[in-house]
Amino acid sequence: MSVGIEKIGFYTAPYYIDMVDLAEARNQDPNKFLIGIGQKQQSVIPPSQDVVSMAANAAETILTEEDKKTIDMIIFGTETGIDNSKAASMYLQSLLGISDYARAFEVKQACYGGTAGIQMGINYLALNPDRKVLVIGADIARYGLETPGEVTQGGGAVAMLLSSNPTVLALDGKSAFYSKNIMDFWRPNYTKEARVDGHYSNDVYVDFFNRTFNQYLDRYNKQVTDFDALVFHLPYPKMGVKALRTVVPQEEENNPLWVEFNHSKLYNSLVGNLYTGSLYLSLISLIANSKTIPAGANIGLFSYGSGAQGEFYSGVLGEFDRKLLKQSVDQQINRRKRLTITEYEQMYRSGLKETADLSINYSDDDSRFVLKGRAKDKLIYLDQVTGEDK
Ligand code: COA
């Protein structure tokens, strides 16, 4: 029996900034951002969106009423938690109308949370093949205005429905992992902005990729050439370039792994970092944009969560409507309004506000689900289609 991803959906907020505008405002050479980092645009997340509303917007693009009845688990991977106790999945369950007879919880290990959810989900499905599992990777990447990390911000959500009908990606259960207590990137409880030792985090990421990839090759007696594509967790596209170079030199630009990698980074270069969702946006980018990768292709996935956990695992590309996926993601990206750097700075600052009672202006946000505000420390979400508050 095979299990894996049956459906995959993506959401990002309706605003972006252009990296040339950001470079000019920060007195940097635009080529540093465009070539050195590999980033062209970056989504800007308004106060009317948080991980719950973004996850609901992503999941709504893929779930049918029948799916909602068959989901036994909602696993919410995030490192942008909305409460230290209550899981984001509880709000998501009610916004989407998923059966109350489900397990719903949140998983945290930096950008690795979505992968932990997938591994847990496929184990459950192996024993319960007639059920389904919803896995979310949703985050807002914030490093601070005028910091070196600013060019690697972004945000959004990826929703994945796992089942024993894995038309997107069948997971073969082969996996290798490595973890170590290190300080390359972290997010202290008292602030919404990440702390990062950026150059060190690059080195650790490449090291963890090499360790897990080689462990995988040894364990399953495989070689690099057994893969048709390698997709990476991409905080920014250059990080994946650095990792891929260690197994296929960049001089071999016509090598299929480089050709497919270039497809897999396209959407990430327009959206920016979405932490737990970044690897899965790369997967979407590959399968939506590559015309050379066929159904049946062997895909290797490198997941990395600072702090740090690495995992390399694999799957086989299924047969499904890739054009429809591309249309839906292109629509998300192309609908965004370009902000000036001053408008972005104002939006960024207002997103940092935290008060027990808060009314958020969502009049410009056309997303189905929005965060309306807070009343006595209770979050209030709005479904703009039904007009219901949750
Ligand atoms: N044209 C082309 N490339 C240029 C350039 C120019 N004019 N100017 C600089 N570059 C290149 C540099 O050579 C460098 O490339 P390299 O990494 O291949 O050597 C790249 O642009 C970045 O320049 P650098 O000076 O290293 O940038 P920085 O010190 O400002 O910081 C990061 C870059 C990525 C370290 C920083 O943005 C960061 O910390 N981001 C967060 C990373 C993160 O999230 N890590 C944790 C998740 S795993």
Side-chain angles (χ1 to χ4, degrees), residues 28-38 111 143 147-152 184-185 195-202 205 233 235-236 238-239 242 245 273 275 304-306:
Q28 297 283 337
D29 178 349
N31 281 337
K32 174 176 174 183
F33 291 180
L34 299 173
I35 301 166
I37 299 288
C111 305
Y143 293 86
T147 62
E150 187 178 27
V151 62
T152 66
D184 58 332
F185 166 105
R195 302 291 179 258
V196 62
D197 188 342
H199 294 282
Y200 177 54
S201 80
N202 269 319
Y205 171 95
H233 165 54
Y236 57 96
K238 187 66 164 291
M239 260 177 123
K242 289 180 190 217
R245 260 185 206 155
N273 200 353
Y275 294 150
Y304 177 79
S306 291

mmCIF file of all heavy atoms in Angstrom, residues 28-38 111 143 147-152 184-185 195-202 205 233 235-236 238-239 242 245 273 275 304-306, ligand 1:
data_model
loop_
_atom_site.group_PDB
_atom_site.id
_atom_site.type_symbol
_atom_site.label_atom_id
_atom_site.label_comp_id
_atom_site.label_asym_id
_atom_site.label_seq_id
_atom_site.Cartn_x
_atom_site.Cartn_y
_atom_site.Cartn_z
ATOM 1 N N GLN A 28 22.030 49.210 -0.962
ATOM 2 C CA GLN A 28 22.739 47.978 -1.352
ATOM 3 C C GLN A 28 22.716 47.866 -2.871
ATOM 4 O O GLN A 28 21.793 48.377 -3.524
ATOM 5 C CB GLN A 28 22.031 46.741 -0.766
ATOM 6 C CG GLN A 28 21.997 46.660 0.737
ATOM 7 C CD GLN A 28 23.312 46.226 1.346
ATOM 8 O OE1 GLN A 28 24.135 45.583 0.697
ATOM 9 N NE2 GLN A 28 23.527 46.589 2.601
ATOM 10 N N ASP A 29 23.693 47.156 -3.427
ATOM 11 C CA ASP A 29 23.671 46.858 -4.856
ATOM 12 C C ASP A 29 22.535 45.851 -5.105
ATOM 13 O O ASP A 29 22.531 44.777 -4.486
ATOM 14 C CB ASP A 29 25.034 46.252 -5.241
ATOM 15 C CG ASP A 29 25.102 45.866 -6.714
ATOM 16 O OD1 ASP A 29 24.048 45.867 -7.392
ATOM 17 O OD2 ASP A 29 26.210 45.556 -7.177
ATOM 18 N N PRO A 30 21.559 46.166 -5.985
ATOM 19 C CA PRO A 30 20.448 45.230 -6.202
ATOM 20 C C PRO A 30 20.916 43.816 -6.552
ATOM 21 O O PRO A 30 20.255 42.832 -6.199
ATOM 22 C CB PRO A 30 19.683 45.856 -7.379
ATOM 23 C CG PRO A 30 19.996 47.303 -7.310
ATOM 24 C CD PRO A 30 21.382 47.413 -6.749
ATOM 25 N N ASN A 31 22.083 43.689 -7.203
ATOM 26 C CA ASN A 31 22.553 42.340 -7.565
ATOM 27 C C ASN A 31 22.908 41.494 -6.356
ATOM 28 O O ASN A 31 22.913 40.274 -6.435
ATOM 29 C CB ASN A 31 23.754 42.417 -8.513
ATOM 30 C CG ASN A 31 23.282 42.716 -9.923
ATOM 31 O OD1 ASN A 31 22.113 42.440 -10.253
ATOM 32 N ND2 ASN A 31 24.156 43.279 -10.735
ATOM 33 N N LYS A 32 23.185 42.143 -5.239
ATOM 34 C CA LYS A 32 23.417 41.348 -4.016
ATOM 35 C C LYS A 32 22.142 40.567 -3.689
ATOM 36 O O LYS A 32 22.195 39.376 -3.370
ATOM 37 C CB LYS A 32 23.815 42.257 -2.847
ATOM 38 C CG LYS A 32 23.928 41.491 -1.540
ATOM 39 C CD LYS A 32 24.418 42.326 -0.381
ATOM 40 C CE LYS A 32 24.357 41.512 0.902
ATOM 41 N NZ LYS A 32 24.741 42.269 2.080
ATOM 42 N N PHE A 33 20.989 41.252 -3.769
ATOM 43 C CA PHE A 33 19.723 40.597 -3.431
ATOM 44 C C PHE A 33 19.272 39.661 -4.555
ATOM 45 O O PHE A 33 18.830 38.533 -4.300
ATOM 46 C CB PHE A 33 18.640 41.648 -3.158
ATOM 47 C CG PHE A 33 18.853 42.443 -1.886
ATOM 48 C CD1 PHE A 33 17.958 43.434 -1.506
ATOM 49 C CD2 PHE A 33 19.940 42.197 -1.060
ATOM 50 C CE1 PHE A 33 18.139 44.164 -0.332
ATOM 51 C CE2 PHE A 33 20.139 42.925 0.111
ATOM 52 C CZ PHE A 33 19.236 43.910 0.469
ATOM 53 N N LEU A 34 19.396 40.146 -5.822
ATOM 54 C CA LEU A 34 18.868 39.367 -6.955
ATOM 55 C C LEU A 34 19.729 38.141 -7.249
ATOM 56 O O LEU A 34 19.211 37.052 -7.485
ATOM 57 C CB LEU A 34 18.794 40.248 -8.213
ATOM 58 C CG LEU A 34 17.878 41.470 -8.128
ATOM 59 C CD1 LEU A 34 18.019 42.341 -9.373
ATOM 60 C CD2 LEU A 34 16.416 41.048 -7.976
ATOM 61 N N ILE A 35 21.069 38.333 -7.206
ATOM 62 C CA ILE A 35 21.984 37.227 -7.568
ATOM 63 C C ILE A 35 22.590 36.590 -6.311
ATOM 64 O O ILE A 35 22.543 35.374 -6.145
ATOM 65 C CB ILE A 35 23.104 37.733 -8.511
ATOM 66 C CG1 ILE A 35 22.478 38.317 -9.790
ATOM 67 C CG2 ILE A 35 24.082 36.602 -8.861
ATOM 68 C CD1 ILE A 35 23.433 39.139 -10.639
ATOM 69 N N GLY A 36 23.130 37.434 -5.434
ATOM 70 C CA GLY A 36 23.828 36.909 -4.248
ATOM 71 C C GLY A 36 22.899 36.125 -3.329
ATOM 72 O O GLY A 36 23.274 35.094 -2.762
ATOM 73 N N ILE A 37 21.649 36.603 -3.172
ATOM 74 C CA ILE A 37 20.656 35.928 -2.326
ATOM 75 C C ILE A 37 19.707 35.096 -3.192
ATOM 76 O O ILE A 37 19.222 34.046 -2.778
ATOM 77 C CB ILE A 37 19.845 36.980 -1.513
ATOM 78 C CG1 ILE A 37 20.765 37.793 -0.578
ATOM 79 C CG2 ILE A 37 18.699 36.349 -0.729
ATOM 80 C CD1 ILE A 37 21.315 37.053 0.617
ATOM 81 N N GLY A 38 19.438 35.590 -4.409
ATOM 82 C CA GLY A 38 18.548 34.855 -5.337
ATOM 83 C C GLY A 38 17.081 35.221 -5.168
ATOM 84 O O GLY A 38 16.191 34.485 -5.583
ATOM 85 N N CYS A 111 11.849 25.333 11.145
ATOM 86 C CA CYS A 111 11.253 25.113 9.810
ATOM 87 C C CYS A 111 10.964 23.636 9.538
ATOM 88 O O CYS A 111 10.538 23.272 8.434
ATOM 89 C CB CYS A 111 12.168 25.666 8.728
ATOM 90 S SG CYS A 111 12.568 27.390 8.973
ATOM 91 N N TYR A 143 12.747 39.383 10.460
ATOM 92 C CA TYR A 143 14.094 39.548 11.040
ATOM 93 C C TYR A 143 14.317 40.959 11.557
ATOM 94 O O TYR A 143 15.285 41.233 12.262
ATOM 95 C CB TYR A 143 15.171 39.231 9.997
ATOM 96 C CG TYR A 143 15.173 37.772 9.604
ATOM 97 C CD1 TYR A 143 14.333 37.303 8.609
ATOM 98 C CD2 TYR A 143 16.005 36.858 10.253
ATOM 99 C CE1 TYR A 143 14.314 35.968 8.258
ATOM 100 C CE2 TYR A 143 15.999 35.520 9.911
ATOM 101 C CZ TYR A 143 15.145 35.078 8.907
ATOM 102 O OH TYR A 143 15.137 33.754 8.577
ATOM 103 N N THR A 147 17.851 45.058 8.799
ATOM 104 C CA THR A 147 18.793 44.038 9.289
ATOM 105 C C THR A 147 19.292 43.240 8.075
ATOM 106 O O THR A 147 18.629 43.225 7.035
ATOM 107 C CB THR A 147 18.103 43.058 10.262
ATOM 108 O OG1 THR A 147 17.041 42.378 9.538
ATOM 109 C CG2 THR A 147 17.510 43.756 11.472
ATOM 110 N N PRO A 148 20.418 42.517 8.204
ATOM 111 C CA PRO A 148 20.886 41.693 7.078
ATOM 112 C C PRO A 148 19.855 40.631 6.686
ATOM 113 O O PRO A 148 19.771 40.229 5.519
ATOM 114 C CB PRO A 148 22.162 41.031 7.611
ATOM 115 C CG PRO A 148 22.601 41.871 8.754
ATOM 116 C CD PRO A 148 21.363 42.499 9.339
ATOM 117 N N GLY A 149 19.047 40.177 7.648
ATOM 118 C CA GLY A 149 18.055 39.130 7.352
ATOM 119 C C GLY A 149 16.810 39.650 6.639
ATOM 120 O O GLY A 149 15.993 38.865 6.165
ATOM 121 N N GLU A 150 16.661 40.986 6.554
ATOM 122 C CA GLU A 150 15.419 41.562 5.998
ATOM 123 C C GLU A 150 15.115 41.048 4.587
ATOM 124 O O GLU A 150 13.961 40.769 4.249
ATOM 125 C CB GLU A 150 15.533 43.095 5.978
ATOM 126 C CG GLU A 150 14.253 43.793 5.573
ATOM 127 C CD GLU A 150 14.389 45.324 5.600
ATOM 128 O OE1 GLU A 150 15.519 45.831 5.428
ATOM 129 O OE2 GLU A 150 13.349 45.986 5.771
ATOM 130 N N VAL A 151 16.144 40.869 3.797
ATOM 131 C CA VAL A 151 15.949 40.411 2.415
ATOM 132 C C VAL A 151 15.454 38.957 2.362
ATOM 133 O O VAL A 151 14.968 38.500 1.324
ATOM 134 C CB VAL A 151 17.273 40.592 1.605
ATOM 135 C CG1 VAL A 151 18.405 39.755 2.198
ATOM 136 C CG2 VAL A 151 17.100 40.231 0.145
ATOM 137 N N THR A 152 15.536 38.243 3.479
ATOM 138 C CA THR A 152 15.080 36.841 3.506
ATOM 139 C C THR A 152 13.787 36.686 4.302
ATOM 140 O O THR A 152 13.490 35.608 4.806
ATOM 141 C CB THR A 152 16.192 35.905 4.057
ATOM 142 O OG1 THR A 152 16.437 36.220 5.429
ATOM 143 C CG2 THR A 152 17.482 36.040 3.296
ATOM 144 N N ASP A 184 21.880 28.561 15.618
ATOM 145 C CA ASP A 184 22.084 29.235 14.330
ATOM 146 C C ASP A 184 20.949 30.227 14.048
ATOM 147 O O ASP A 184 21.130 31.224 13.384
ATOM 148 C CB ASP A 184 22.227 28.222 13.191
ATOM 149 C CG ASP A 184 21.036 27.288 13.043
ATOM 150 O OD1 ASP A 184 20.348 27.019 14.044
ATOM 151 O OD2 ASP A 184 20.790 26.815 11.915
ATOM 152 N N PHE A 185 19.754 29.936 14.620
ATOM 153 C CA PHE A 185 18.568 30.764 14.404
ATOM 154 C C PHE A 185 17.584 30.392 15.489
ATOM 155 O O PHE A 185 17.390 29.207 15.778
ATOM 156 C CB PHE A 185 18.004 30.427 13.015
ATOM 157 C CG PHE A 185 16.603 30.924 12.752
ATOM 158 C CD1 PHE A 185 16.381 32.017 11.939
ATOM 159 C CD2 PHE A 185 15.498 30.266 13.297
ATOM 160 C CE1 PHE A 185 15.085 32.459 11.677
ATOM 161 C CE2 PHE A 185 14.212 30.709 13.045
ATOM 162 C CZ PHE A 185 14.004 31.803 12.232
ATOM 163 N N ARG A 195 16.197 35.814 15.787
ATOM 164 C CA ARG A 195 17.634 36.045 15.982
ATOM 165 C C ARG A 195 18.346 35.041 15.081
ATOM 166 O O ARG A 195 17.954 33.870 15.035
ATOM 167 C CB ARG A 195 18.028 35.781 17.439
ATOM 168 C CG ARG A 195 17.262 36.643 18.439
ATOM 169 C CD ARG A 195 17.679 38.105 18.321
ATOM 170 N NE ARG A 195 16.934 38.942 19.245
ATOM 171 C CZ ARG A 195 15.907 39.724 18.896
ATOM 172 N NH1 ARG A 195 15.478 39.741 17.635
ATOM 173 N NH2 ARG A 195 15.305 40.479 19.781
ATOM 174 N N VAL A 196 19.373 35.489 14.387
ATOM 175 C CA VAL A 196 20.035 34.561 13.458
ATOM 176 C C VAL A 196 21.521 34.865 13.367
ATOM 177 O O VAL A 196 21.928 36.013 13.389
ATOM 178 C CB VAL A 196 19.371 34.630 12.047
ATOM 179 C CG1 VAL A 196 19.505 36.001 11.418
ATOM 180 C CG2 VAL A 196 19.898 33.560 11.109
ATOM 181 N N ASP A 197 22.303 33.788 13.329
ATOM 182 C CA ASP A 197 23.726 33.895 13.007
ATOM 183 C C ASP A 197 23.795 33.396 11.561
ATOM 184 O O ASP A 197 24.003 32.215 11.296
ATOM 185 C CB ASP A 197 24.509 32.995 13.981
ATOM 186 C CG ASP A 197 26.002 33.185 13.847
ATOM 187 O OD1 ASP A 197 26.439 33.727 12.805
ATOM 188 O OD2 ASP A 197 26.728 32.784 14.769
ATOM 189 N N GLY A 198 23.549 34.335 10.616
ATOM 190 C CA GLY A 198 23.242 33.977 9.226
ATOM 191 C C GLY A 198 24.298 33.134 8.528
ATOM 192 O O GLY A 198 23.979 32.121 7.904
ATOM 193 N N HIS A 199 25.572 33.542 8.642
ATOM 194 C CA HIS A 199 26.617 32.804 7.912
ATOM 195 C C HIS A 199 26.814 31.421 8.519
ATOM 196 O O HIS A 199 26.992 30.435 7.804
ATOM 197 C CB HIS A 199 27.919 33.622 7.892
ATOM 198 C CG HIS A 199 27.757 34.882 7.098
ATOM 199 N ND1 HIS A 199 27.773 34.893 5.725
ATOM 200 C CD2 HIS A 199 27.503 36.154 7.486
ATOM 201 C CE1 HIS A 199 27.548 36.134 5.299
ATOM 202 N NE2 HIS A 199 27.376 36.915 6.353
ATOM 203 N N TYR A 200 26.723 31.360 9.848
ATOM 204 C CA TYR A 200 26.827 30.057 10.530
ATOM 205 C C TYR A 200 25.657 29.158 10.109
ATOM 206 O O TYR A 200 25.834 27.967 9.849
ATOM 207 C CB TYR A 200 26.836 30.314 12.044
ATOM 208 C CG TYR A 200 26.875 29.080 12.912
ATOM 209 C CD1 TYR A 200 27.863 28.112 12.749
ATOM 210 C CD2 TYR A 200 25.921 28.887 13.928
ATOM 211 C CE1 TYR A 200 27.895 26.982 13.557
ATOM 212 C CE2 TYR A 200 25.957 27.768 14.740
ATOM 213 C CZ TYR A 200 26.937 26.818 14.553
ATOM 214 O OH TYR A 200 26.967 25.706 15.349
ATOM 215 N N SER A 201 24.443 29.754 9.997
ATOM 216 C CA SER A 201 23.269 28.937 9.646
ATOM 217 C C SER A 201 23.433 28.339 8.245
ATOM 218 O O SER A 201 23.021 27.211 7.989
ATOM 219 C CB SER A 201 21.961 29.725 9.764
ATOM 220 O OG SER A 201 21.729 30.537 8.646
ATOM 221 N N ASN A 202 24.090 29.088 7.343
ATOM 222 C CA ASN A 202 24.398 28.537 6.006
ATOM 223 C C ASN A 202 25.276 27.298 6.106
ATOM 224 O O ASN A 202 25.020 26.277 5.463
ATOM 225 C CB ASN A 202 25.222 29.554 5.199
ATOM 226 C CG ASN A 202 24.355 30.468 4.388
ATOM 227 O OD1 ASN A 202 23.381 30.031 3.799
ATOM 228 N ND2 ASN A 202 24.701 31.728 4.363
ATOM 229 N N TYR A 205 23.450 24.301 7.694
ATOM 230 C CA TYR A 205 22.459 23.768 6.746
ATOM 231 C C TYR A 205 23.138 22.836 5.732
ATOM 232 O O TYR A 205 22.676 21.715 5.496
ATOM 233 C CB TYR A 205 21.807 24.975 6.058
ATOM 234 C CG TYR A 205 20.903 24.726 4.884
ATOM 235 C CD1 TYR A 205 19.525 24.635 5.050
ATOM 236 C CD2 TYR A 205 21.409 24.658 3.585
ATOM 237 C CE1 TYR A 205 18.676 24.463 3.966
ATOM 238 C CE2 TYR A 205 20.573 24.485 2.497
ATOM 239 C CZ TYR A 205 19.204 24.384 2.683
ATOM 240 O OH TYR A 205 18.375 24.219 1.612
ATOM 241 N N HIS A 233 14.605 22.749 1.501
ATOM 242 C CA HIS A 233 14.075 23.849 2.316
ATOM 243 C C HIS A 233 14.820 25.103 1.843
ATOM 244 O O HIS A 233 16.053 25.116 1.836
ATOM 245 C CB HIS A 233 14.357 23.562 3.791
ATOM 246 C CG HIS A 233 14.187 24.763 4.661
ATOM 247 N ND1 HIS A 233 13.027 25.494 4.667
ATOM 248 C CD2 HIS A 233 15.040 25.371 5.536
ATOM 249 C CE1 HIS A 233 13.156 26.499 5.521
ATOM 250 N NE2 HIS A 233 14.366 26.448 6.058
ATOM 251 N N PRO A 235 15.148 28.908 2.698
ATOM 252 C CA PRO A 235 14.962 30.200 3.366
ATOM 253 C C PRO A 235 15.189 31.331 2.359
ATOM 254 O O PRO A 235 14.570 32.369 2.418
ATOM 255 C CB PRO A 235 16.047 30.214 4.438
ATOM 256 C CG PRO A 235 16.391 28.786 4.653
ATOM 257 C CD PRO A 235 16.201 28.105 3.326
ATOM 258 N N TYR A 236 16.107 31.098 1.427
ATOM 259 C CA TYR A 236 16.293 31.952 0.245
ATOM 260 C C TYR A 236 17.005 31.059 -0.768
ATOM 261 O O TYR A 236 17.723 30.118 -0.389
ATOM 262 C CB TYR A 236 17.060 33.236 0.575
ATOM 263 C CG TYR A 236 18.413 33.036 1.191
ATOM 264 C CD1 TYR A 236 19.560 33.057 0.389
ATOM 265 C CD2 TYR A 236 18.572 32.800 2.554
ATOM 266 C CE1 TYR A 236 20.820 32.864 0.940
ATOM 267 C CE2 TYR A 236 19.815 32.597 3.105
ATOM 268 C CZ TYR A 236 20.937 32.629 2.289
ATOM 269 O OH TYR A 236 22.172 32.425 2.839
ATOM 270 N N LYS A 238 19.571 30.974 -2.660
ATOM 271 C CA LYS A 238 21.017 30.697 -2.682
ATOM 272 C C LYS A 238 21.402 29.568 -1.728
ATOM 273 O O LYS A 238 22.388 28.858 -1.952
ATOM 274 C CB LYS A 238 21.767 31.990 -2.321
ATOM 275 C CG LYS A 238 23.271 31.929 -2.447
ATOM 276 C CD LYS A 238 23.702 31.744 -3.887
ATOM 277 C CE LYS A 238 25.163 32.061 -4.132
ATOM 278 N NZ LYS A 238 25.510 33.468 -4.002
ATOM 279 N N MET A 239 20.645 29.362 -0.662
ATOM 280 C CA MET A 239 20.996 28.301 0.293
ATOM 281 C C MET A 239 20.931 26.931 -0.368
ATOM 282 O O MET A 239 21.789 26.086 -0.164
ATOM 283 C CB MET A 239 20.074 28.337 1.513
ATOM 284 C CG MET A 239 20.754 29.026 2.678
ATOM 285 S SD MET A 239 19.679 29.165 4.092
ATOM 286 C CE MET A 239 20.635 28.337 5.345
ATOM 287 N N LYS A 242 23.906 26.383 -2.604
ATOM 288 C CA LYS A 242 25.113 26.000 -1.861
ATOM 289 C C LYS A 242 25.095 24.505 -1.521
ATOM 290 O O LYS A 242 26.116 23.836 -1.566
ATOM 291 C CB LYS A 242 25.248 26.821 -0.578
ATOM 292 C CG LYS A 242 25.613 28.261 -0.862
ATOM 293 C CD LYS A 242 25.739 29.054 0.416
ATOM 294 C CE LYS A 242 25.865 30.517 0.062
ATOM 295 N NZ LYS A 242 26.751 31.273 0.884
ATOM 296 N N ARG A 245 25.406 22.299 -4.849
ATOM 297 C CA ARG A 245 26.790 22.337 -5.362
ATOM 298 C C ARG A 245 27.680 21.263 -4.731
ATOM 299 O O ARG A 245 28.638 20.825 -5.340
ATOM 300 C CB ARG A 245 27.411 23.682 -4.992
ATOM 301 C CG ARG A 245 27.421 24.687 -6.083
ATOM 302 C CD ARG A 245 28.181 25.896 -5.555
ATOM 303 N NE ARG A 245 27.755 27.097 -6.234
ATOM 304 C CZ ARG A 245 27.855 28.306 -5.696
ATOM 305 N NH1 ARG A 245 28.319 28.472 -4.466
ATOM 306 N NH2 ARG A 245 27.486 29.352 -6.384
ATOM 307 N N ASN A 273 10.770 33.687 2.417
ATOM 308 C CA ASN A 273 10.809 32.564 3.363
ATOM 309 C C ASN A 273 9.433 32.345 3.988
ATOM 310 O O ASN A 273 8.784 33.303 4.409
ATOM 311 C CB ASN A 273 11.836 32.867 4.464
ATOM 312 C CG ASN A 273 12.294 31.612 5.183
ATOM 313 O OD1 ASN A 273 11.748 30.529 4.959
ATOM 314 N ND2 ASN A 273 13.276 31.755 6.046
ATOM 315 N N TYR A 275 9.333 29.607 6.230
ATOM 316 C CA TYR A 275 9.796 28.663 7.242
ATOM 317 C C TYR A 275 9.247 27.245 7.024
ATOM 318 O O TYR A 275 9.685 26.567 6.110
ATOM 319 C CB TYR A 275 9.468 29.187 8.644
ATOM 320 C CG TYR A 275 10.204 30.463 9.047
ATOM 321 C CD1 TYR A 275 9.614 31.372 9.924
ATOM 322 C CD2 TYR A 275 11.478 30.744 8.596
ATOM 323 C CE1 TYR A 275 10.280 32.534 10.328
ATOM 324 C CE2 TYR A 275 12.146 31.907 8.993
ATOM 325 C CZ TYR A 275 11.542 32.792 9.851
ATOM 326 O OH TYR A 275 12.191 33.931 10.256
ATOM 327 N N TYR A 304 15.008 21.129 6.768
ATOM 328 C CA TYR A 304 15.937 21.615 7.791
ATOM 329 C C TYR A 304 15.228 22.583 8.728
ATOM 330 O O TYR A 304 14.536 23.494 8.270
ATOM 331 C CB TYR A 304 17.125 22.333 7.123
ATOM 332 C CG TYR A 304 18.084 22.927 8.129
ATOM 333 C CD1 TYR A 304 19.012 22.117 8.777
ATOM 334 C CD2 TYR A 304 18.025 24.278 8.458
ATOM 335 C CE1 TYR A 304 19.881 22.653 9.730
ATOM 336 C CE2 TYR A 304 18.882 24.818 9.407
ATOM 337 C CZ TYR A 304 19.795 24.005 10.030
ATOM 338 O OH TYR A 304 20.650 24.527 10.983
ATOM 339 N N GLY A 305 15.384 22.373 10.012
ATOM 340 C CA GLY A 305 14.846 23.314 10.997
ATOM 341 C C GLY A 305 15.975 23.716 11.928
ATOM 342 O O GLY A 305 16.564 22.860 12.599
ATOM 343 N N SER A 306 16.278 25.007 11.960
ATOM 344 C CA SER A 306 17.396 25.498 12.775
ATOM 345 C C SER A 306 17.265 25.038 14.218
ATOM 346 O O SER A 306 16.162 24.788 14.705
ATOM 347 C CB SER A 306 17.423 27.029 12.753
ATOM 348 O OG SER A 306 17.779 27.460 11.483
HETATM 349 N N1 COA B 1 26.444 41.049 -6.763
HETATM 350 C C1 COA B 1 26.283 39.703 -6.656
HETATM 351 N N2 COA B 1 26.431 39.024 -5.472
HETATM 352 C C2 COA B 1 26.738 39.739 -4.369
HETATM 353 C C3 COA B 1 26.922 41.145 -4.424
HETATM 354 C C4 COA B 1 26.764 41.802 -5.689
HETATM 355 N N3 COA B 1 26.916 43.122 -5.815
HETATM 356 N N4 COA B 1 27.213 41.566 -3.176
HETATM 357 C C5 COA B 1 27.232 40.463 -2.353
HETATM 358 N N5 COA B 1 26.941 39.359 -3.097
HETATM 359 C C6 COA B 1 26.819 37.983 -2.626
HETATM 360 C C7 COA B 1 27.871 37.581 -1.618
HETATM 361 O O1 COA B 1 29.082 37.187 -2.265
HETATM 362 C C8 COA B 1 27.164 36.448 -0.913
HETATM 363 O O2 COA B 1 27.213 35.299 -1.731
HETATM 364 P P1 COA B 1 27.768 33.902 -1.114
HETATM 365 O O3 COA B 1 26.878 33.555 0.041
HETATM 366 O O4 COA B 1 27.677 32.951 -2.257
HETATM 367 O O5 COA B 1 29.170 34.191 -0.674
HETATM 368 C C9 COA B 1 25.699 36.885 -0.899
HETATM 369 O O6 COA B 1 25.603 37.900 -1.909
HETATM 370 C C10 COA B 1 25.251 37.474 0.425
HETATM 371 O O7 COA B 1 26.170 38.462 0.786
HETATM 372 P P2 COA B 1 26.636 38.589 2.304
HETATM 373 O O8 COA B 1 27.658 39.666 2.387
HETATM 374 O O9 COA B 1 27.006 37.236 2.831
HETATM 375 O O10 COA B 1 25.262 39.079 2.944
HETATM 376 P P3 COA B 1 24.898 39.430 4.429
HETATM 377 O O11 COA B 1 26.071 39.335 5.337
HETATM 378 O O12 COA B 1 24.203 40.743 4.364
HETATM 379 O O13 COA B 1 23.835 38.306 4.900
HETATM 380 C C11 COA B 1 22.480 36.371 4.975
HETATM 381 C C12 COA B 1 23.230 37.374 4.069
HETATM 382 C C13 COA B 1 21.808 35.360 4.097
HETATM 383 C C14 COA B 1 23.494 35.667 5.906
HETATM 384 C C15 COA B 1 21.400 37.149 5.820
HETATM 385 O O14 COA B 1 20.467 37.690 4.932
HETATM 386 C C16 COA B 1 20.691 36.270 6.831
HETATM 387 O O15 COA B 1 21.181 36.043 7.907
HETATM 388 N N6 COA B 1 19.485 35.757 6.492
HETATM 389 C C17 COA B 1 18.752 34.812 7.321
HETATM 390 C C18 COA B 1 19.223 33.407 7.016
HETATM 391 C C19 COA B 1 18.370 32.388 7.732
HETATM 392 O O16 COA B 1 17.177 32.551 7.805
HETATM 393 N N7 COA B 1 18.968 31.351 8.270
HETATM 394 C C20 COA B 1 18.225 30.378 9.058
HETATM 395 C C21 COA B 1 17.338 29.540 8.266
HETATM 396 S S1 COA B 1 18.089 28.054 7.761
#
